[in-house]
Amino acid sequence: MKVCKFGGTSVASAEQIKKVANIVTADPSRKVVVVSAPGKRFSEDEKVTDLLIHLAEQALKGENTDWELEKVIDRYRLIATELDLSDDIVQIIEQDLRQRLDFDQNDAVLYMDNLKASGEDNNAKLIAAYFSHIGLEATYICPKEAGLLVTNRPERVQALPAGDERLAKLRDQPGIIVFPGFFGYTEDGTLRTFNRGGSDITGSLLAAATEAELYENFTDVDSVFAANPTIVDNPIAIDKMTYREMRELAYAGFSVFHDEALMPAFRRSVPVCIKNTNNPDAPGTMIVKERNHSTHPVIGIAADSGFSTLFVDKYLMNQEIGFGRRLLQILEEEEIPFEHTPSGIDNISVIIRSKFLTAHKEARIIQRVKEELNADDVHLHSDYSMIVLVGEGMRHATGLAARAASAIAHAGVSIQMINQGSSEVSLVFGVHQEDENKILKGLYEEFFQKSAVLR
Amino acid sequence: MKVCKFGGTSVASAEQIKKVANIVTADPSRKVVVVSAPGKRFSEDEKVTDLLIHLAEQALKGENTDWELEKVIDRYRLIATELDLSDDIVQIIEQDLRQRLDFDQNDAVLYMDNLKASGEDNNAKLIAAYFSHIGLEATYICPKEAGLLVTNRPERVQALPAGDERLAKLRDQPGIIVFPGFFGYTEDGTLRTFNRGGSDITGSLLAAATEAELYENFTDVDSVFAANPTIVDNPIAIDKMTYREMRELAYAGFSVFHDEALMPAFRRSVPVCIKNTNNPDAPGTMIVKERNHSTHPVIGIAADSGFSTLFVDKYLMNQEIGFGRRLLQILEEEEIPFEHTPSGIDNISVIIRSKFLTAHKEARIIQRVKEELNADDVHLHSDYSMIVLVGEGMRHATGLAARAASAIAHAGVSIQMINQGSSEVSLVFGVHQEDENKILKGLYEEFFQKSAVLR
């Protein structure tokens, strides 16, 4: 039994949904179908989720929502019409949206969640209707009925293992199950959404709970590439990689998969395959527990911009037990997570994602570090990028750091930071943002266009 | 005006003290002479400081101390006799030691400090007597009279700037001043010693307070070498380096200078020269504020063994604000300072000097991290070495990390950790201790025996 998840572009139009139906019918083991909200049909198109956010914002402001509501309904109506479905399904969707608009607005976050989640929920109803229409035995299942339990507020939304037993029963349900991605319910019945891109998590959770033989994640690319194809010309496709590799790549800027989405599948050892809805015969990229990494110690190279460095210098810092801890505590109190902390004898740098900083927070952090820690010198620099080499073979490949650093040197660029030594599958270089693309190309050439032999 | 400091081997015997007198008389600007306790005359010899420690231990145990006391006095008597001094100075020393032995034993640390400090103190008296004997105008000065003020217990002993004004008056004192290294007095008159090797600090403090033109540190080597001469064959001598370079090298295992000793001189921009008492015509190594680093981006390579790694893994660690801080807090509560903290998405390693760990502390740390931080995996590995490349030019030399990592790869060794990105003058590689010497040789060859051109 397989769980298939179809992303936004895969279910953006009638034409795409027909492809989905073909894919599902081509393999009888494709039983659970998790769907996103309709995504973009062309690059300037609007995602239904974005339309829903505008709708919710309008409603929360107490303004008239007719126009925004109609825009959402129109998208479904167009799909339904082109799929030859009766207007019944559009009426069901319209009624659902009107009910959600009337929802209690006291908690704006929950109100927003509820409207956003309708994108996936109504698309699942529509797709189930289409499957039935073409003669498939298919049922829309609501995550509430199925038992997709999530944590209560104010905790970060995460699935609760308590729901697994009920979700496992989806196996026994006759026919195809069409399941909306992106949201679950707390024990007391409150709808909460996963982070955006969270349909991947829903698919992964269901694959894990039903102990599927495979979790197929359908998107709009043939496979995951070894480097960003908008920077590197025709990067090679990755045919197989491990969960850890995928997680490192996703965290460091690969946009195919959401960072945490794989974990439920990973924990139950369900293999994952990333495939293309528009080219389902392509083998795709398999994500598995282990791979033979002797030939390719590096599987991919990720790059991500938007990092800042907080530099702190204080004479005899290294003898002051607790200095590093107190520095991190200030950041914690300012609610700033950190990525890396390279250190010297008298100085320490903290690498932070710039999105967590504001001018106000920056000024306050600098002031606090100066005053509370008596630092001699404190400053914040932005516009750093992190380039991450990922591969299970890295730990044991002698000379890999040398090859990487040499490739960067050949690109004529200085390395600002190197972090190696904890993760077994990644090697991180901090560089100036302006050098990012040049380095990515140089590293790609070194690890994917040359022989893998140590120079 | 210059401040000269003579280390233990430079004042270990009459013969050596005659060399000191020649050095001092050769340059009339050598006004302040800081001396250590008599050191080893040959490799199996005992330092007077060690004899004094035994003496103090014996006294603290309440045992008879005649034999131990006689051993100390004998060393001074031998020197005095060979210098043709009368027995007066030996009697002064004996009387001083007997007074110290009668000191209040309630605080064993202060008792020990007092006896240890006598090594420098009595040697200064002896050397001043010798200088007078040969017709020099020379005076022994006690740090208490001179105003060498240090912090009170339980604070770590450090010099207080409040003493500087009085110390500056040493300039106006007629003739040569012979000043014992290694100790100072708190405001209430309690003697406290610097860390061992602390005579370097005394010299540095006096050079700073008197605004000397030069602080000459006389030892038993012609200069500082670019790498440990017991591992690397005939390493090159360093003719000039910066304070920051010296401090990094000292911290990472170079034994010539105590880590913090330079700072007082550094803060007042007094240049330092390391010279050889046995070969005072050799130019020595100058330590200055700035140097031209375009030709030699790397000035030296240090290696130090005895490090352990605490590895902690926890899924989604990177999203848990405060994890790193709480880990460091546990170490802080166990009074363990740390060196580096490389990190991955879900894991962090803390590099610790093994000397701070005991089997008991290790077990407790592992248990606490598991329980208090809910870590998935925690373990401690020992037997790591840190190899540190030091040089002011490092920050701006493109390709330096590449050259270093390549040299290590050529040695056939895997790098366990790289820390670059905070210090502007150092690049740290963590390696298995067994590979340390091989890597040091390889790096020395790369940076000092090849052309400095980027390969």
Side-chain angles (χ1 to χ4, degrees):
Chain A
M1 193 275 274
K2 295 172 185 162
V3 172
C4 314
K5 179 258 165 178
F6 293 89
T9 59
S10 301
V11 290
S13 66
E15 189 193 347
Q16 290 300 89
I17 291 172
K18 284 177 186 168
K19 289 180 190 168
V20 170
N22 286 335
I23 289 167
V24 172
T25 47
D27 181 349
S29 64
R30 288 173 175 145
K31 180 171 181 67
V32 177
V33 178
V34 177
V35 299
S36 296
K40 291 185 180 187
R41 294 157 293 184
F42 43 90
S43 65
E44 284 74 36
D45 197 14
E46 288 180 287
K47 296 178 183 180
V48 165
T49 305
D50 289 331
L51 299 179
L52 288 164
I53 290 170
H54 294 150
L55 173 61
E57 284 169 351
Q58 195 75 356
L60 283 166
K61 279 189 275 185
E63 311 255 334
N64 182 293
T65 56
D66 290 352
W67 190 80
E68 286 76 13
L69 177 60
E70 201 49 40
K71 257 188 112 170
V72 176
I73 295 169
D74 272 355
R75 278 291 296 271
Y76 290 112
R77 182 177 289 122
L78 179 65
I79 296 172
T81 308
E82 291 186 358
L83 290 175
D84 281 332
L85 298 180
S86 75
D87 203 46
D88 293 359
I89 184 67
V90 182
Q91 279 174 27
I92 288 170
I93 291 172
E94 179 167 352
Q95 200 178 345
D96 173 83
L97 283 165
R98 288 193 185 279
Q99 272 177 7
R100 290 182 199 247
L101 281 169
D102 288 342
F103 205 75
D104 175 18
Q105 295 193 346
N106 277 334
D107 189 326
V109 172
L110 291 183
Y111 186 82
M112 176 62 82
D113 271 2
N114 208 292
L115 268 165
K116 281 199 301 190
S118 76
E120 280 72 10
D121 202 32
N122 286 323
N123 210 27
K125 292 175 201 161
L126 190 155
I127 290 167
Y130 173 65
F131 282 5
S132 301
H133 175 73
I134 59 170
L136 296 173
E137 185 183 4
T139 324
Y140 154 82
I141 300 270
C142 174
K144 196 176 204 166
E145 287 167 45
L148 205 170
L149 280 181
V150 297
T151 45
N152 269 312
R153 291 186 77 187
E155 265 183 277
R156 214 174 134 270
V157 62
Q158 270 187 296
L160 289 169
D164 280 5
E165 213 169 305
R166 279 173 63 199
L167 289 174
K169 292 191 180 135
L170 291 174
R171 282 189 84 102
D172 309 324
Q173 183 102 6
I176 293 162
I177 290 152
V178 185
F179 200 103
F182 188 42
F183 67 97
Y185 289 85
T186 63
E187 297 246 7
D188 64 5
T190 305
L191 182 152
R192 295 189 72 191
T193 63
F194 295 118
N195 296 334
R196 222 152 146 185
S199 291
D200 288 334
I201 298 184
T202 305
S204 185
L205 284 169
L206 297 191
T210 61
E211 292 179 330
E213 68 191 83
L214 184 65
Y215 169 33
E216 292 179 311
N217 192 291
F218 283 86
T219 175
D220 50 7
V221 290
D222 278 358
S223 55
V224 178
F225 298 106
N228 185 343
T230 67
I231 310 297
V232 171
D233 289 337
N234 300 313
I236 64 160
I238 300 173
D239 59 349
K240 192 187 269 186
M241 68 176 134
T242 67
Y243 295 112
R244 293 205 296 179
E245 289 171 335
M246 181 73 233
R247 181 157 152 73
E248 292 272 354
L249 288 170
Y251 184 72
F254 269 40
S255 55
V256 176
F257 238 121
H258 187 273
D259 192 357
E260 289 166 57
L262 282 181
M263 278 304 129
F266 162 58
R267 295 214 154 160
R268 291 280 183 94
S269 300
V270 177
V272 179
C273 191
I274 296 178
K275 287 179 77 77
N276 191 349
T277 303
N278 306 314
N279 183 19
D281 294 333
T285 297
M286 283 292 290
I287 305 170
V288 295
K289 207 165 179 179
E290 283 172 6
R291 71 173 177 96
N292 174 359
H293 49 73
S294 56
T295 49
H296 284 94
V298 175
I299 196 100
I301 310 169
D304 207 0
S305 58
F307 289 88
S308 295
T309 299
L310 173 67
F311 174 85
V312 181
D313 191 90
K314 183 180 183 183
Y315 174 54
L316 294 185
M317 180 191 292
N318 72 313
Q319 295 189 355
E320 202 174 313
I321 291 194
F323 190 94
R325 190 267 305 161
R326 284 185 290 149
L327 177 62
L328 297 183
Q329 185 136 23
I330 289 175
L331 291 173
E332 184 179 341
E333 285 161 14
E334 300 293 337
E335 297 182 325
I336 309 275
F338 69 92
E339 304 294 318
H340 308 288
T341 53
S343 58
I345 303 180
D346 291 336
N347 44 57
I348 183 166
S349 293
V350 188
I351 316 287
I352 297 164
R353 285 187 192 260
S354 309
K355 69 178 177 189
F356 295 115
L357 294 167
T358 58
H360 182 65
K361 277 201 175 183
E362 286 187 16
R364 197 166 53 205
I365 288 168
I366 289 173
Q367 195 194 354
R368 289 191 61 185
V369 174
K370 271 189 187 152
E371 288 174 6
E372 296 172 27
L373 304 186
N374 282 311
D376 297 330
D377 187 15
V378 187
H379 49 79
L380 249 159
H381 285 303
S382 57
D383 297 332
Y384 285 97
S385 288
M386 296 293 136
I387 313 262
V388 187
L389 289 177
V390 175
E392 290 280 346
M394 302 203 51
R395 187 67 163 191
H396 307 287
T398 299
L400 207 137
R403 286 175 64 193
S406 298
I408 296 174
H410 279 283
V413 173
S414 290
I415 298 166
Q416 300 301 310
M417 187 212 77
I418 307 176
N419 182 33
Q420 189 212 313
S422 191
S423 167
E424 294 194 338
V425 294
S426 71
L427 169 57
V428 183
F429 292 96
V431 299
H432 287 303
Q433 200 159 307
E434 65 202 32
D435 298 325
E436 178 185 320
N437 292 353
K438 208 193 287 185
I439 292 173
L440 184 59
K441 286 175 189 170
L443 287 172
Y444 182 80
E445 192 186 326
E446 173 63 33
F447 287 99
F448 294 97
Q449 295 180 316
K450 288 184 178 174
S451 114
V453 177
L454 177 65
R455 288 184 303 169
Chain B
M1 194 275 274
K2 295 172 186 164
V3 172
C4 315
K5 178 257 165 176
F6 293 88
T9 59
S10 301
V11 289
S13 66
E15 188 193 347
Q16 290 299 90
I17 290 171
K18 285 177 186 169
K19 289 181 190 168
V20 170
N22 287 335
I23 289 167
V24 172
T25 47
D27 180 349
S29 64
R30 288 175 176 145
K31 181 170 182 66
V32 178
V33 177
V34 177
V35 299
S36 295
K40 292 185 178 185
R41 294 158 293 183
F42 44 89
S43 63
E44 283 75 34
D45 197 15
E46 286 180 286
K47 296 179 184 180
V48 165
T49 306
D50 290 331
L51 299 179
L52 288 164
I53 290 170
H54 294 151
L55 173 61
E57 284 169 350
Q58 195 76 356
L60 283 166
K61 279 188 274 184
E63 313 253 336
N64 183 292
T65 56
D66 290 351
W67 189 80
E68 286 76 14
L69 176 61
E70 202 47 39
K71 256 187 113 170
V72 175
I73 295 167
D74 271 355
R75 276 293 293 273
Y76 292 111
R77 182 177 289 122
L78 178 64
I79 296 172
T81 308
E82 290 185 356
L83 291 175
D84 280 333
L85 298 180
S86 75
D87 203 48
D88 294 357
I89 184 65
V90 183
Q91 280 176 28
I92 290 171
I93 292 172
E94 178 166 352
Q95 199 178 346
D96 172 84
L97 283 165
R98 290 195 183 277
Q99 272 176 7
R100 292 182 198 248
L101 281 169
D102 286 343
F103 205 76
D104 175 19
Q105 296 193 346
N106 277 333
D107 189 325
V109 172
L110 291 183
Y111 186 83
M112 175 62 82
D113 271 2
N114 209 293
L115 268 166
K116 280 199 303 190
S118 76
E120 279 72 11
D121 202 32
N122 287 322
N123 211 26
K125 291 175 202 162
L126 189 155
I127 290 167
Y130 174 64
F131 282 5
S132 302
H133 175 72
I134 60 171
L136 296 174
E137 185 184 3
T139 323
Y140 154 81
I141 300 270
C142 173
K144 196 178 204 166
E145 288 166 46
L148 206 170
L149 281 181
V150 298
T151 44
N152 269 312
R153 292 185 76 184
E155 266 183 276
R156 212 173 135 272
V157 64
Q158 269 186 297
L160 288 169
D164 280 5
E165 214 169 306
R166 279 173 63 200
L167 289 175
K169 293 192 180 137
L170 292 174
R171 281 188 85 100
D172 309 324
Q173 182 103 8
I176 294 163
I177 290 153
V178 185
F179 199 104
F182 189 41
F183 65 98
Y185 288 86
T186 63
E187 298 245 6
D188 64 4
T190 304
L191 182 153
R192 294 190 72 192
T193 62
F194 295 118
N195 296 334
R196 220 151 147 184
S199 291
D200 289 333
I201 299 185
T202 304
S204 185
L205 283 168
L206 296 190
T210 60
E211 291 178 332
E213 65 190 85
L214 184 65
Y215 169 33
E216 293 179 309
N217 192 292
F218 283 86
T219 173
D220 51 7
V221 290
D222 276 358
S223 55
V224 178
F225 298 105
N228 186 344
T230 66
I231 311 296
V232 171
D233 288 338
N234 299 312
I236 65 159
I238 299 173
D239 59 348
K240 191 187 270 186
M241 68 176 132
T242 68
Y243 296 111
R244 293 205 295 179
E245 289 171 335
M246 181 73 234
R247 182 155 151 73
E248 291 273 354
L249 288 171
Y251 185 73
F254 268 41
S255 56
V256 176
F257 237 122
H258 187 272
D259 192 357
E260 288 166 58
L262 282 181
M263 279 304 129
F266 163 57
R267 297 216 152 159
R268 291 280 182 95
S269 301
V270 177
V272 179
C273 190
I274 295 178
K275 287 180 77 78
N276 191 349
T277 303
N278 306 314
N279 184 19
D281 294 333
T285 297
M286 282 291 291
I287 305 171
V288 294
K289 205 164 182 181
E290 282 170 8
R291 71 173 177 96
N292 174 359
H293 49 72
S294 56
T295 48
H296 285 95
V298 175
I299 197 98
I301 310 170
D304 208 1
S305 59
F307 290 87
S308 295
T309 300
L310 173 67
F311 173 85
V312 182
D313 192 272
K314 183 181 183 182
Y315 174 54
L316 294 184
M317 180 191 293
N318 71 315
Q319 295 189 354
E320 201 175 315
I321 291 194
F323 189 94
R325 191 267 305 161
R326 285 185 290 148
L327 176 62
L328 296 184
Q329 185 134 26
I330 288 174
L331 290 173
E332 185 178 340
E333 285 161 13
E334 301 292 338
E335 298 181 324
I336 309 275
F338 68 92
E339 304 295 318
H340 309 287
T341 52
S343 58
I345 303 180
D346 291 336
N347 45 58
I348 184 165
S349 294
V350 187
I351 317 287
I352 298 163
R353 285 188 191 261
S354 309
K355 68 180 177 188
F356 295 115
L357 294 166
T358 58
H360 182 64
K361 277 202 176 183
E362 287 187 18
R364 198 167 52 204
I365 288 167
I366 289 173
Q367 194 194 355
R368 288 192 62 185
V369 174
K370 272 191 186 150
E371 286 175 8
E372 296 171 26
L373 304 185
N374 282 312
D376 297 331
D377 188 15
V378 187
H379 49 79
L380 249 161
H381 285 303
S382 57
D383 296 331
Y384 284 96
S385 287
M386 296 293 136
I387 312 263
V388 187
L389 289 177
V390 175
E392 289 281 347
M394 301 203 53
R395 187 65 162 193
H396 306 289
T398 298
L400 207 139
R403 285 176 64 194
S406 297
I408 296 174
H410 278 282
V413 173
S414 289
I415 298 167
Q416 300 302 310
M417 186 210 77
I418 306 177
N419 182 33
Q420 189 211 313
S422 192
S423 167
E424 295 195 337
V425 294
S426 71
L427 169 58
V428 183
F429 293 96
V431 300
H432 287 304
Q433 200 160 308
E434 64 201 33
D435 299 325
E436 179 185 319
N437 291 353
K438 208 194 286 186
I439 292 173
L440 184 59
K441 287 176 189 170
L443 288 172
Y444 182 80
E445 192 187 325
E446 172 63 34
F447 287 99
F448 294 96
Q449 295 181 316
K450 286 186 180 173
S451 117
V453 177
L454 178 66
R455 288 184 305 170

